[in-house]
Amino acid sequence: EELAQDKINLKTGGKLSNKTIMEHHRFISTVMTQAEKEMLIPYNPSHKATPPKLKRTEANHFQIDEVERITKCLEGEPLKWRTMTTLLMLTGCRRGELMGLKWSSVDFKNHQIKIENNLLYSAERGIYEETTKTGKTRMVKLPQEAINLLSQYKAWYEKQRKRKIGR
């Protein structure tokens, strides 16, 4: 037990991360704002605190050799997985955003997709759709190879859909 405690202290140094402090500050501020509105306290003391600044970390991108290696590994995989993995690599979209794509979001002519939905899951609601995490719609250009892959996938998808309807 003592060794486990030492490991925890060595790992964190007994300090909370700036992100954790910010989350706690936001929560406390929200509670205090509500207490102020209900006139339980004369003012919100959390407004006097100075929370730490959060550092934006730069996105971790795949290198060209990594993309080539992944693409080569995908060659023998089913079309569905090749398409999804390729889109994730090329667009930088989140998994939920990829799952929220509709065929109406794909502009084959102009080689772009519109990312505007996010597919989410919770035990209470099941699978549901919302706007993107940022709430913004964005257009992402795609290379011809990705458009070709999407065209193949759409043809496969339509074939599967017709097969299910025909049952």
Side-chain angles (χ1 to χ4, degrees):
E1 193 174 299
E2 203 172 285
L3 288 175
Q5 184 64 33
D6 287 341
K7 287 182 182 178
I8 292 170
N9 288 340
L10 287 175
K11 183 178 178 185
T12 63
K15 297 178 182 178
L16 297 174
S17 72
N18 284 354
K19 183 175 183 263
T20 301
I21 293 169
M22 281 297 296
E23 288 170 358
H24 284 79
H25 180 268
R26 284 186 190 122
F27 173 73
I28 291 167
S29 182
T30 301
V31 170
M32 294 293 181
T33 297
Q34 187 60 38
E36 185 181 21
K37 283 180 185 175
E38 293 178 14
M39 297 172 60
L40 299 172
I41 56 176
Y43 68 94
N44 184 343
S46 68
H47 291 300
K48 300 282 185 193
T50 307
K53 299 262 190 252
L54 290 180
K55 294 178 186 172
R56 292 267 180 207
T57 57
E58 192 169 319
N60 187 8
H61 298 61
F62 285 115
Q63 298 302 313
I64 291 174
D65 62 322
E66 294 172 315
V67 172
E68 289 171 351
R69 193 172 69 242
I70 293 168
T71 303
K72 186 163 178 62
C73 289
L74 286 170
E75 286 175 3
E77 297 301 321
L79 180 61
K80 175 181 180 179
W81 303 118
R82 283 192 326 229
T83 306
M84 289 194 317
T85 305
T86 299
L87 288 176
L88 285 169
M89 285 191 304
L90 292 175
T91 64
C93 68
R94 297 171 178 89
R95 287 176 303 191
E97 292 172 338
L98 178 68
M99 302 314 299
L101 281 177
K102 297 180 174 107
W103 289 118
S104 59
S105 302
V106 180
D107 183 349
F108 288 97
K109 182 181 175 189
N110 294 309
H111 297 181
Q112 59 187 11
I113 56 173
K114 184 190 321 183
I115 298 175
E116 59 187 336
N117 299 309
N118 194 17
L119 209 57
L120 300 168
Y121 171 81
S122 74
E124 300 82 34
R125 293 177 66 182
I127 297 172
Y128 62 100
E129 187 178 288
E130 277 195 357
T131 60
T132 62
K133 185 176 179 180
T134 61
K136 297 178 182 175
T137 297
R138 61 190 190 278
M139 300 299 288
V140 179
K141 287 282 197 185
L142 295 173
Q144 184 61 49
E145 296 83 17
I147 292 297
N148 294 344
L149 199 56
L150 272 169
S151 296
Q152 290 174 25
Y153 181 67
K154 185 173 184 182
W156 175 85
Y157 176 83
E158 291 297 330
K159 188 176 176 183
Q160 297 300 313
R161 194 172 68 83
K162 286 178 184 174
R163 187 180 296 161
K164 285 184 180 181
I165 291 172
R167 286 185 183 173

